Amino acid sequence: MNILPAIFEAVGLYSSSGGLGEHLRGLDIDCQTMSRQSAYNFVILALIFVNVVILFNYYYGLLNRSPFNQVGWWLGNILVGAFIIFLIAYVGSHRDLVNHRYCEQLSFHDGDCIGFGITAAIYSVVWSVLLSLLIKWKSIYNKKIPF
């Protein structure tokens, strides 16, 4: 079992066995092989990239200024990143559902797509907090944010 699906499915906000999880792992339309690219890989790469860009901008870029060195601004950046990741995860899985680009033997619905998006957003927040703790120390104004 791949580690990324296991991490995402551990939250339990969407159907994994026989549902959206199988589709996200790469089960193709003919229901025979896992020949499609895993959506988990794309979402985790987007999660890492989007949050790195947002946090580097906060700690070393345009937002590394005095009026932005408050926890509220940091939290706003974290939530913007989480929302972007939610959209990436939700839209990708929902588009496949609406266009019937999945194995017909699988059973999932829009609520599963929302659950996958929420799961990705949760991991986005966790990654952002960890990344903040690692990169904040050389920031001029924001090195004491979040704490």
Side-chain angles (χ1 to χ4, degrees):
M1 178 176 233
N2 194 343
I3 189 82
L4 286 178
I7 290 171
F8 274 85
E9 292 168 5
V11 177
L13 293 179
Y14 59 95
S15 61
S16 55
S17 181
L20 182 60
E22 291 292 322
H23 174 68
L24 296 173
R25 280 189 207 99
L27 184 64
D28 62 3
I29 294 174
D30 66 4
C31 306
Q32 299 299 316
T33 61
M34 295 287 193
S35 62
R36 290 183 329 109
Q37 176 66 31
S38 172
Y40 292 111
N41 295 338
F42 177 76
V43 169
I44 200 73
L45 289 174
L47 184 150
I48 291 168
F49 178 76
V50 165
N51 290 302
V52 164
V53 169
I54 288 172
L55 287 173
F56 266 88
N57 181 53
Y58 180 76
Y59 285 110
Y60 302 108
L62 297 174
L63 299 180
N64 188 23
R65 296 182 181 3
S66 182
F68 302 112
N69 62 347
Q70 298 172 11
V71 173
W73 282 101
W74 172 81
L75 185 59
N77 279 280
I78 299 298
L79 293 177
V80 165
F83 182 70
I84 291 169
I85 296 305
F86 169 83
L87 286 177
I88 290 170
Y90 170 75
V91 168
S93 59
H94 180 74
R95 184 179 48 231
D96 288 347
L97 176 66
V98 170
N99 295 327
H100 301 286
R101 288 188 304 209
Y102 62 93
C103 170
E104 294 294 328
Q105 296 172 1
L106 299 179
S107 174
F108 64 95
H109 49 80
D110 191 51
D112 289 325
C113 299
I114 291 170
F116 178 55
I118 292 171
T119 302
I122 290 168
Y123 282 117
S124 174
V125 169
V126 170
W127 165 245
S128 295
V129 170
L130 293 174
L131 185 61
S132 291
L133 295 174
L134 293 173
I135 68 170
K136 71 179 192 167
W137 302 108
K138 300 246 182 194
S139 176
I140 295 171
Y141 293 102
N142 299 334
K143 65 179 159 191
K144 294 187 178 182
I145 306 299
F147 37 80

